[in-house]
């Protein structure tokens, strides 16, 4: 019995540790796959940005600034570089010596000889970063197909080593990131120099026989230790991750168990009853330990899945936010020019119809851009105290028209429901999106129920909800429901189950982004045949909602103004300038903040400055700060499509969101000039302490004053 128990326990220990090795290897593989997928996205983004640029344009500071911004959130990246066909660096994410050539690097030579795809280099010491690195490079081709240089991202072996340490179970082990030729790029424990795995080693022989992955045991030729290895190929890349545990460590637990079994066997010789009692206690203890270990393992796997999902959604958010910001500038040009053209097409009826169709298409593009910004949580919001039942009652006619006669709408709001803090316009759009989705899920008709209830997130909160008081708004339908695979991807941008041309896949993405940016969260529950329920948590307000004041606009002043327009995009500059001149203003143009300061020095009669926020060198906020010191009386209007502004000190500026129409621009200018006139009259008498900030908090919504220390409209 002792021998049988020892053999059985040995096989169990080996099986459990083998599963641990394979599970840990899978974790390392998923991490490495996501890292190199991200690197490919980064290189593709750089290639798209620079493909049609000349080398003089690539060598401009703007390109290096773009690379720095691209590299900044990537912990795994040391630097990003663009080299020409001779190996000379033309742009980089940090400063470099222009005399240094990278023509001798293996990643450059490989791409020069042929298009090697994504080439992973051997480890090296960075000449500009002075940091141990290895590179992932892609070839740049000229228009005629000849070699035109490389784009490469230098990666940190220490980043991988730290992740190996965090992901590895307790105890002596070995983890490594290995090239297909056996070159060790990163390892844990870290050594002074990474070695190369010999081709005749057990690991490399196993990789040759089973290239996708497997399990092998043998003596490591790196440190001569007997280990059990698991390895997996990292996606389509010429890389492998490997994780191993010393065989002595595995068998030490078995030896401890043998000692316990020996004691049990000795006691069994004394008395059968004693042995039976001890065996029963031992079996119970082992069962409890196995269950505890299984629960811990399941919790760890669930946490890892949540982490992977969070990283994926964050990457998608950054990508969609950047694309939406660029489209805002394009749509500003299109909408502005179409708005001006509408005034000039009066007699041609067919031309007017075509023009109106173009304007509607551009406005639909603006709506899509707002949804992308909402998903990436960079959309500008104007939060207020909102009475949810009153808001729903006010949009019931719109909901009924949108859903049609085949859908019944029910509401269920408790009396004395506290208000929420949210942007009322965006909240209406969220409820309309959810209702339309519910309608599409009920092709034969059904019922949509809108309800709201107070909810709490005590302690550490519910999931990604912070602790606090919330209102849970629910939109529930009796439709077809979703299977688990569809439910898991429901909030991903551009994912839709509708046919071509029937949906963009941004509705639920926008709902999720709005809820998170408002300080809440979103939950979706659904199953096939049982309908879908979407819960949106929004922060509860401690003050009651006030009725909306009816705002009246004073009759616009027709006196022509001299306006300084500052924008680095020539198309946006031309479109905005045309709108201002059409209103009747005189426009001075500057392509940068420094050019604007020079023009102001030469033309002191400027009445207003309108500046873009995102400009190289001097941003719109920096220009406003400079003018606040030099010419505090000069009104300033900031144009931007982003809600996130960096922290600045003691600046309050009016703001207009891109893209805008001519009437919106005219109204914003009137608001700024009227406030500037009121401020000048107030400044003629001694102001009480804190008066300026009190006034800024009560400005109208035409051009929203923004405190740069807060990324929301005040």
């Amino acid at each position: 019995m002792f021998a049988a128990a020892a053999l059985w326990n040995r096989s169990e220990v080996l099986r459990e540790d083998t599963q641990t090795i394979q599970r840990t290897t899978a974790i390392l593989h998923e991490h490495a796959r996501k890292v190199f997928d991200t690197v490919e996205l980064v290189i593709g983004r750089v290639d798209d940005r620079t493909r049609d640029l000349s080398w003089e344009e690539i060598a401009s500071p703007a390109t290096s600034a773009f690379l720095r911004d691209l590299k900044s959130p990537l912990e795994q990246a040391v630097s990003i570089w663009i080299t020409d066909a001779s190996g000379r660096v033309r742009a980089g994410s940090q400063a470099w010596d222009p005399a240094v050539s990278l023509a001798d690097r293996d990643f450059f030579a490989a791409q020069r000889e042929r298009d090697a795809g994504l080439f992973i280099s051997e480890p090296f010491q960075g000449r500009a970063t002075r940091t141990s690195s290895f590179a992932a490079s892609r070839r740049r081709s000229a228009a005629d197909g000849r070699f035109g240089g490389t784009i490469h991202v230098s990666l940190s072996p220490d980043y991988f080593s730290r992740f190996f340490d965090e992901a590895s179970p307790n105890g002596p082990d070995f983890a490594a990131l290995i090239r297909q030729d056996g070159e060790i790029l990163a390892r844990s424990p870290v050594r002074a120099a990474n070695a190369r795995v010999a081709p005749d080693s057990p690991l490399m022989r196993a990789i040759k026989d089973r290239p996708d992955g497997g399990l092998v045991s043998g003596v490591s030729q790196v440190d001569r230790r007997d280990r059990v290895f698991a390895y997996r190929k990292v996606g389509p890349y010429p890389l492998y991750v490997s994780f191993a545990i010393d065989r002595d460590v595995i068998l030490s637990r078995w030896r401890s168990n043998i000692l316990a079994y020996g004691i049990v066997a000795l006691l069994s010789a004394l008395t059968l009853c004693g042995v039976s009692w001890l065996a029963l206690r031992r079996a119970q203890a082992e069962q409890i330990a196995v269950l505890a270990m299984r629960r811990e393992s399941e919790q760890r796997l669930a946490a890892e899945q949540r982490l992977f999902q969070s990283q994926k959604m964050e990457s998608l958010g950054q990508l969609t936010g950047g694309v939406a910001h660029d489209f805002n500038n394009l749509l500003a040009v299109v909408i502005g020019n179409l708005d001006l053209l509408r005034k000039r097409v009066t007699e041609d009826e067919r031309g007017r119809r075509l023009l109106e169709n173009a304007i509607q298409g551009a406005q639909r593009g603006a709506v899509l851009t707002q949804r992308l910004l909402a998903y990436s949580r960079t959309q500008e919001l104007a939060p207020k105290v909102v009475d949810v039942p009153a808001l729903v009652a006010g949009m019931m006619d719109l909901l009924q028209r949108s859903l049609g006669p085949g859908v019944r709408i029910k509401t269920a709001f408790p009396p004395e429901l506290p208000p929420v803090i949210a942007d009322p316009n965006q909240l209406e759009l969220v409820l309309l999106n959810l209702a339309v989705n519910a309608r599409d899920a009920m092709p034969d008709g059904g019922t949509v129920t809108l309800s709201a209830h107070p909810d709490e997130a005590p302690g550490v909160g519910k999931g990604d909800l912070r602790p606090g008081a919330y209102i849970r708004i629910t939109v529930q339908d009796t439709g077809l429901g979703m299977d688990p695979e569809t439910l898991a991807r429901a909030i991903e941008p551009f994912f839709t189950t509708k046919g071509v041309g029937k949906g963009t896949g941004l509705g639920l993405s926008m709902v999720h982004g709005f809820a998170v940016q408002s300080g809440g969260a979103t939950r979706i529950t659904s199953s096939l045949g049982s309908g879908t329920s979407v819960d949106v948590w929004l922060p509860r307000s401690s003050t009651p909602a006030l009725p909306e004041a009816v705002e009246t606009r004073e009759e616009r002043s027709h006196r022509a103004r001299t306006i300084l327009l500052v924008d680095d995009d020539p198309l946006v500059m031309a479109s905005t300038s045309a709108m201002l001149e059409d209103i009747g203003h005189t426009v001075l143009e500057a392509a940068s903040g420094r050019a604007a300061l020079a023009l102001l020095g030469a033309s002191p009669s400027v009445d207003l400055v309108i500046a873009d926020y995102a400009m190289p060198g001097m941003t719109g906020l920096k220009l406003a700060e400079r003018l606040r010191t030099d010419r505090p009386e000069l009104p300033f209007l900031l144009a931007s499509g982003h809600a996130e502004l960096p922290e600045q000190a003691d600046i309050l500026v009016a703001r207009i969101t891109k893209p805008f129409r001519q009437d919106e621009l005219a109204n914003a200018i009137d608001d700024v000039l009227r406030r500037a006139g009121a401020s000048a009259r107030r400044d003629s008498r001694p102001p009480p302490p804190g008066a300026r900030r009190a006034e800024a908090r009560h400005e109208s919504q035409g051009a929203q004053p923004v405190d740069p220390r807060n990324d929301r409209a005040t």
Side-chain angles (χ1 to χ4, degrees), residues 378-450:
T378 57
Q379 179 183 228
E380 181 182 5
L381 297 180
K384 298 179 181 178
V385 178
V386 179
D387 185 346
V388 176
L391 183 140
V392 172
M395 59 182 301
M396 283 300 292
D397 289 342
L398 173 62
L399 287 173
Q400 193 63 65
R401 288 196 305 270
S402 301
L403 302 188
V407 177
R408 180 188 176 195
I409 303 176
K410 293 176 58 179
T411 58
F413 299 110
E416 306 298 331
L417 179 70
V420 300
I421 302 175
D423 185 320
N425 295 326
Q426 292 298 321
L427 180 55
E428 285 186 352
L429 184 58
V430 163
L431 295 178
L432 182 60
N433 269 318
L434 293 177
V436 170
N437 278 354
R439 177 203 65 191
D440 294 341
M442 300 183 295
D444 299 325
T447 301
V448 175
T449 303
L450 286 80

Side-chain angles (χ1 to χ4, degrees), residues 170-216:
N170 296 329
D173 51 50
F174 171 84
L177 178 67
I178 306 170
R179 278 202 323 184
Q180 196 166 3
D181 61 356
E183 185 76 32
I184 298 178
L185 302 177
R187 58 171 291 167
S188 174
V190 178
R191 295 197 173 184
N194 289 323
R196 177 185 290 270
V197 182
D200 60 344
S201 66
L203 177 59
M204 295 307 294
R205 290 199 303 267
I207 289 176
K208 182 178 180 181
D209 295 338
R210 300 184 299 277
D212 291 333
L215 190 71
V216 65

Side-chain angles (χ1 to χ4, degrees), residues 29-107:
H29 168 266
E30 288 298 320
H31 172 261
R33 174 68 183 269
K34 292 181 182 300
V35 167
F36 285 96
D37 285 349
T38 301
V39 168
E40 280 220 287
L41 285 174
V42 168
I43 293 177
R45 182 87 180 272
V46 174
D47 190 31
D48 290 342
R49 173 68 179 266
T50 61
R51 181 176 301 159
D52 298 325
L53 300 182
S54 66
W55 282 116
E56 288 75 19
E57 292 172 322
I58 292 175
S60 67
T63 304
S64 293
F66 167 74
L67 297 182
R68 282 194 299 272
D69 293 341
L70 201 58
K71 180 263 173 193
S72 178
L74 302 178
E75 183 182 355
Q76 67 269 29
V78 177
S79 55
I80 306 174
W81 304 96
I82 303 175
T83 61
D84 60 18
S86 66
R88 188 158 64 95
V89 174
R90 291 304 189 94
S93 60
Q94 65 182 68
W96 71 92
D97 183 0
V100 173
S101 172
L102 301 182
D104 59 332
R105 295 295 195 192
D106 62 336
F107 61 83

Side-chain angles (χ1 to χ4, degrees), residues 189-259:
V190 178
R191 295 197 173 184
N194 289 323
R196 177 185 290 270
V197 182
D200 60 344
S201 66
L203 177 59
M204 295 307 294
R205 290 199 303 267
I207 289 176
K208 182 178 180 181
D209 295 338
R210 300 184 299 277
D212 291 333
L215 190 71
V216 65
S217 61
V219 177
S220 170
Q221 295 190 355
V222 177
D223 52 14
R224 314 305 301 176
R225 298 180 69 90
D226 188 11
R227 293 192 174 100
V228 177
F229 293 86
Y231 65 94
R232 286 187 66 175
K233 190 175 188 297
V234 181
Y237 309 107
L239 295 169
Y240 287 85
V241 290
S242 175
F243 180 77
I245 297 180
D246 289 3
R247 187 178 293 275
D248 287 342
V249 175
I250 298 175
L251 295 180
S252 63
R253 186 158 65 92
W254 173 65
R255 296 189 188 98
S256 299
N257 292 341
I258 287 181
L259 179 60

Side-chain angles (χ1 to χ4, degrees), residues 477-684:
D477 63 60
T478 58
L480 302 175
M482 292 182 278
D483 56 39
E485 292 76 11
T486 303
L487 182 61
R489 300 186 59 192
I491 64 172
E492 291 185 13
F494 305 113
F495 174 76
T496 178
T497 58
K498 301 176 183 178
V500 177
K502 296 183 179 180
T504 62
L506 288 174
L508 289 177
S509 303
M510 183 274 291
V511 173
H512 170 74
F514 164 76
V516 174
Q517 191 176 2
S518 300
T522 307
R523 297 286 186 279
I524 306 175
T525 55
S526 180
S527 60
L528 285 176
S530 300
T532 300
S533 177
V534 181
D535 295 324
V536 179
W537 274 268
L538 294 175
R540 189 190 310 175
S541 173
S542 58
T543 59
L546 298 177
E548 288 289 337
V550 178
E551 297 184 358
T552 60
R553 179 170 298 278
E554 299 175 2
E555 186 172 351
R556 184 176 301 158
S557 172
H558 293 285
R559 186 168 70 86
R561 306 282 184 166
T562 300
I563 297 177
L564 174 58
L565 180 61
V566 189
D567 202 307
D568 63 323
D569 191 318
L571 289 177
V572 177
M573 171 88 77
S575 174
T576 309
S577 179
M579 286 193 286
L580 292 171
E581 290 174 349
D582 186 69
I583 296 171
H585 298 302
T586 300
V587 182
L588 303 178
E589 297 181 352
S592 66
R594 298 192 183 279
L597 293 175
L599 272 176
L600 285 172
S603 303
S605 61
V606 171
D607 299 309
L608 172 67
V609 176
I610 302 176
D612 183 34
Y613 166 66
M615 295 187 296
M618 179 181 290
T619 65
L621 277 180
K622 290 182 180 178
L623 177 60
E625 184 178 19
R626 178 72 175 270
L627 293 179
R628 187 174 178 84
T629 302
D630 297 345
R631 296 184 61 177
E633 80 287 352
L634 183 60
F636 193 95
L637 180 61
L638 185 69
S640 176
H642 268 292
E644 297 179 353
L645 298 176
E647 293 186 359
Q648 299 284 347
D650 300 323
I651 300 179
L652 288 174
V653 294
R655 182 174 175 187
I656 184 170
T657 302
K658 291 182 179 179
F660 46 77
R661 299 188 306 273
Q662 186 182 31
D663 58 340
E664 295 172 337
L665 178 61
N667 292 337
I669 292 173
D670 287 346
D671 290 340
V672 173
L673 293 176
R674 186 169 57 253
R675 286 198 301 271
S679 176
R681 291 191 296 272
R682 288 194 299 269
D683 289 344
S684 63

Side-chain angles (χ1 to χ4, degrees), residues 196-422:
R196 177 185 290 270
V197 182
D200 60 344
S201 66
L203 177 59
M204 295 307 294
R205 290 199 303 267
I207 289 176
K208 182 178 180 181
D209 295 338
R210 300 184 299 277
D212 291 333
L215 190 71
V216 65
S217 61
V219 177
S220 170
Q221 295 190 355
V222 177
D223 52 14
R224 314 305 301 176
R225 298 180 69 90
D226 188 11
R227 293 192 174 100
V228 177
F229 293 86
Y231 65 94
R232 286 187 66 175
K233 190 175 188 297
V234 181
Y237 309 107
L239 295 169
Y240 287 85
V241 290
S242 175
F243 180 77
I245 297 180
D246 289 3
R247 187 178 293 275
D248 287 342
V249 175
I250 298 175
L251 295 180
S252 63
R253 186 158 65 92
W254 173 65
R255 296 189 188 98
S256 299
N257 292 341
I258 287 181
L259 179 60
Y261 292 160
I263 295 174
V264 172
L266 179 61
L267 294 176
S268 67
L270 301 176
T271 169
L272 181 60
C273 293
V275 169
S276 301
W277 182 76
L278 289 175
L280 179 61
R281 292 290 302 273
R282 181 66 181 179
Q284 291 174 342
E286 287 187 352
Q287 185 177 10
I288 293 172
V290 168
L291 291 175
M293 185 173 65
R294 184 177 300 167
R295 284 195 298 270
E296 180 181 354
S297 175
E298 291 173 352
Q299 292 172 357
R300 178 180 176 184
L301 288 174
E304 290 165 357
Q305 291 298 323
R306 287 195 297 271
L307 173 61
F308 295 154
Q309 182 69 9
S310 174
Q311 290 175 337
K312 180 180 72 173
M313 300 308 292
E314 185 65 26
S315 298
L316 287 173
Q318 293 175 0
L319 179 62
T320 55
V323 171
H325 179 262
D326 290 341
F327 267 98
N328 258 340
N329 280 341
L330 299 177
L331 290 170
V333 176
V334 174
I335 292 176
N337 284 282
L338 290 176
D339 208 12
L340 292 175
L341 187 59
R342 174 192 283 169
K343 296 181 178 181
R344 289 157 175 79
V345 179
T346 57
E347 299 180 358
D348 186 352
E349 184 62 28
R350 186 170 184 272
R352 287 186 59 84
R353 288 199 307 271
L354 294 175
L355 181 59
E356 290 299 327
N357 289 340
I359 291 175
Q360 291 179 13
Q363 290 173 343
R364 289 176 63 183
V367 171
L368 290 179
T369 304
Q370 290 176 356
R371 292 183 177 182
L372 286 171
L373 289 173
Y375 174 72
S376 61
R377 301 191 289 282
T378 57
Q379 179 183 228
E380 181 182 5
L381 297 180
K384 298 179 181 178
V385 178
V386 179
D387 185 346
V388 176
L391 183 140
V392 172
M395 59 182 301
M396 283 300 292
D397 289 342
L398 173 62
L399 287 173
Q400 193 63 65
R401 288 196 305 270
S402 301
L403 302 188
V407 177
R408 180 188 176 195
I409 303 176
K410 293 176 58 179
T411 58
F413 299 110
E416 306 298 331
L417 179 70
V420 300
I421 302 175

Side-chain angles (χ1 to χ4, degrees), residues 71-191:
K71 180 263 173 193
S72 178
L74 302 178
E75 183 182 355
Q76 67 269 29
V78 177
S79 55
I80 306 174
W81 304 96
I82 303 175
T83 61
D84 60 18
S86 66
R88 188 158 64 95
V89 174
R90 291 304 189 94
S93 60
Q94 65 182 68
W96 71 92
D97 183 0
V100 173
S101 172
L102 301 182
D104 59 332
R105 295 295 195 192
D106 62 336
F107 61 83
F108 182 89
Q111 299 291 2
R112 181 174 54 197
E113 293 174 2
R114 60 182 177 83
D115 187 353
L118 186 69
F119 182 83
I120 309 301
S121 77
E122 61 186 16
F124 58 83
Q125 187 78 9
R127 292 169 180 165
T129 62
R130 305 298 180 188
T131 303
S132 295
S133 314
F134 64 93
S137 72
R138 275 205 179 276
R139 176 188 179 115
R140 295 185 80 251
S141 296
D144 57 359
R146 292 182 300 173
F147 175 64
T150 63
I151 303 171
H152 76 271
V153 179
S154 294
L155 301 172
S156 170
D158 293 339
Y159 167 79
F160 289 93
S161 299
R162 288 194 302 271
F163 182 83
F164 292 167
D165 292 338
E166 294 172 0
S168 301
N170 296 329
D173 51 50
F174 171 84
L177 178 67
I178 306 170
R179 278 202 323 184
Q180 196 166 3
D181 61 356
E183 185 76 32
I184 298 178
L185 302 177
R187 58 171 291 167
S188 174
V190 178
R191 295 197 173 184

